[in-house]
Amino acid sequence: MRIRQVFRRSVSKGEDCTDCPVGSLFGLPLTRLCDGDSLPKPVMAMLQQVFSKGPFTQGIFRKSANARLVRELRDKLDAGEDLPLDHVPVLVTAALLKEFLRSLPDPLLGGALYPLWMEAIECPDEQEKLLRIKRRVECNPLLCVPLSVLDQLPRPNQSLLNHFLCVLVHIARRAPSNLMSASNLGVCVGPSLLWSSPVALCSRAVPMLVDLLVTRCELLCGPHVPHLLGDPPERDPTRQDSGAEESDSLHCEYFLRHTWKNSSLNSEQI
């Protein structure tokens, strides 16, 4: 039941995003945002921050963030403003990243590929399942070998997926402290990566797919993927907390006072 509720919220992609006007970042296809394999600067900044702080934050991608701050950030990024994310709570950045993924006109894993993803994940033979998904570095056009599902993703989708998996892999590696295993991440971010109708049919398969992509990332996407954003993150020694949580309201107030002096959202509204 809980998984189905998560998927209802996501397919309400509609509820979160379609009522927002299309700007310069959210709601646009990746082919317009990316230059080949190069991701947009704001997206890279979000990925980098969650990569650095997410593994040390309990419930990353699961806990709720300050909705007003998420919307304020979204509006400013859509207006083309170059915003530093240093003082933004990582829970807010994670929520913003999920909202960006949900706003894509076509899901990151490819709406047209949905049946192929489902066929692969439901395959009873583990090796056959991996072969159907695994990206092939070299393909011989003379051989009648069908493309894997990952091979059929457009280049911008492959690039963003690899960078996002880099983040998820390092979060999952610290699951004993942040409580976000690969399976938990699948439940929390799966609805932002792939969706279809009817919802009930994908309630279990999509989280299982994301779980597999995270746990078998190096095999499926390449050994370089966990290193795309740099060396494994280390906890910032200047942080005074245990790394388990961040005080959302305190960080929001600080950020709004010191960074957005002209913002319509002041600290009294938080």
Side-chain angles (χ1 to χ4, degrees), residues 36-111:
D37 294 334
S38 299
L39 301 175
K41 182 179 177 181
V43 175
M44 281 299 297
M46 287 186 275
L47 288 165
Q48 192 69 58
Q49 199 216 32
V50 181
F51 171 78
S52 300
K53 297 181 179 180
F56 311 104
T57 305
Q58 271 191 13
I60 188 69
F61 287 119
R62 175 178 59 82
K63 289 188 175 181
S64 299
N66 184 288
R68 293 178 180 175
L69 184 56
V70 173
R71 180 55 60 92
E72 184 83 0
L73 271 166
R74 172 181 171 139
D75 290 344
K76 288 181 175 291
L77 289 174
D78 254 348
E81 296 188 27
D82 187 10
L83 295 176
L85 299 178
D86 297 348
H87 298 297
V88 175
V90 67
L91 293 176
V92 172
T93 305
L96 190 67
L97 182 56
K98 284 173 63 176
E99 187 162 327
F100 169 75
L101 292 169
R102 286 196 298 266
S103 77
L104 293 174
D106 189 56
L108 180 62
L109 292 179

Side-chain angles (χ1 to χ4, degrees), residues 139-214:
C139 295
N140 188 340
L142 300 179
L143 298 177
C144 297
V145 178
L147 290 174
S148 71
V149 189
L150 284 172
D151 285 325
Q152 297 183 56
L153 286 174
R155 284 181 58 192
N157 295 57
Q158 290 185 13
S159 179
L160 180 52
L161 175 62
N162 286 342
H163 283 80
F164 191 50
L165 285 176
C166 174
V167 172
L168 299 182
V169 164
H170 287 283
I171 291 173
R173 286 178 180 175
R174 292 187 175 270
S177 58
N178 62 38
L179 307 182
M180 293 304 293
S181 63
S183 59
N184 288 341
L185 289 169
V187 172
C188 294
V189 306
S192 303
L193 302 180
L194 184 64
W195 54 82
S196 182
S197 295
V199 178
L201 296 180
C202 67
S203 59
R204 292 181 180 274
V206 174
M208 290 172 56
L209 171 61
V210 176
D211 184 349
L212 182 68
L213 289 173
V214 174

Side-chain angles (χ1 to χ4, degrees), residues 3-4 6 30-31 89-90 117-119 151 166 185 190 205 211-212 220 225 260 267-268:
I3 293 178
R4 290 178 181 174
V6 170
L30 284 176
T31 51
V90 67
W117 285 118
M118 294 302 101
E119 289 177 9
D151 285 325
C166 174
L185 289 169
D211 184 349
L212 182 68
L220 295 174
V225 171
W260 298 348
S267 60
E268 294 180 354

